[in-house]
Amino acid sequence: MDTTQLLKGVLDLAVLAVLKDEDGYGYDIMRRLRSYGLEEIGDASVYGTLRRLFQAGLLTTYVVPSESGPHRKYYALNAAGRDQLARSGKVWRAFAGTMDSLLDDKGMAA
């Protein structure tokens, strides 16, 4: 199965989840996603997702000066983003449960 297609469908949820407890800048968010096992995520996909979530009103941004390079643009969940994370998380859990049941019923349990 091509996991890149799966990632396209859940990248918004993954980014919102990674920002749930701690704000982050683009590279940091990408590093965190990869540390959770999403190694195949491309830079452009993450940055595009951050822009899209910001434009949708789910994230706020702020700039932090850096002494060792360019300023960093941090992203943070706002109230709308937290609501979306909760809604999307419920949908994902229901979907994943359905898929687990289907695979278990067909003798395909891991």
Side-chain angles (χ1 to χ4, degrees):
M1 174 177 276
D2 182 10
T3 56
T4 57
Q5 291 301 314
L6 290 173
L7 285 173
K8 286 180 184 179
V10 298
L11 188 53
D12 287 7
L13 176 58
V15 168
L16 292 173
V18 105
L19 289 171
K20 180 179 66 160
D21 296 322
E22 183 181 359
D23 301 351
Y25 56 94
Y27 179 77
D28 175 55
I29 293 166
M30 196 167 28
R31 180 190 54 77
R32 285 193 250 167
L33 289 167
R34 288 177 178 160
S35 76
Y36 277 98
L38 301 177
E39 292 94 6
E40 297 177 23
I41 287 183
D43 300 8
S45 295
V46 172
Y47 285 102
T49 297
L50 288 168
R51 277 191 303 277
R52 188 174 59 258
L53 293 173
F54 175 75
Q55 290 171 348
L58 303 176
L59 302 176
T60 57
T61 64
Y62 58 95
V63 176
V64 174
S66 173
E67 294 178 10
S68 63
H71 299 329
R72 291 184 173 153
K73 184 178 192 177
Y74 277 75
Y75 293 86
L77 279 183
N78 57 27
R82 290 189 186 284
D83 290 345
Q84 182 63 40
L85 174 59
R87 283 191 306 273
S88 295
K90 287 178 185 175
V91 170
W92 172 257
R93 286 186 178 100
F95 178 76
T98 298
M99 291 304 299
D100 285 343
S101 293
L102 270 170
L103 293 172
D104 289 348
D105 287 349
K106 301 299 179 194
M108 302 178 75

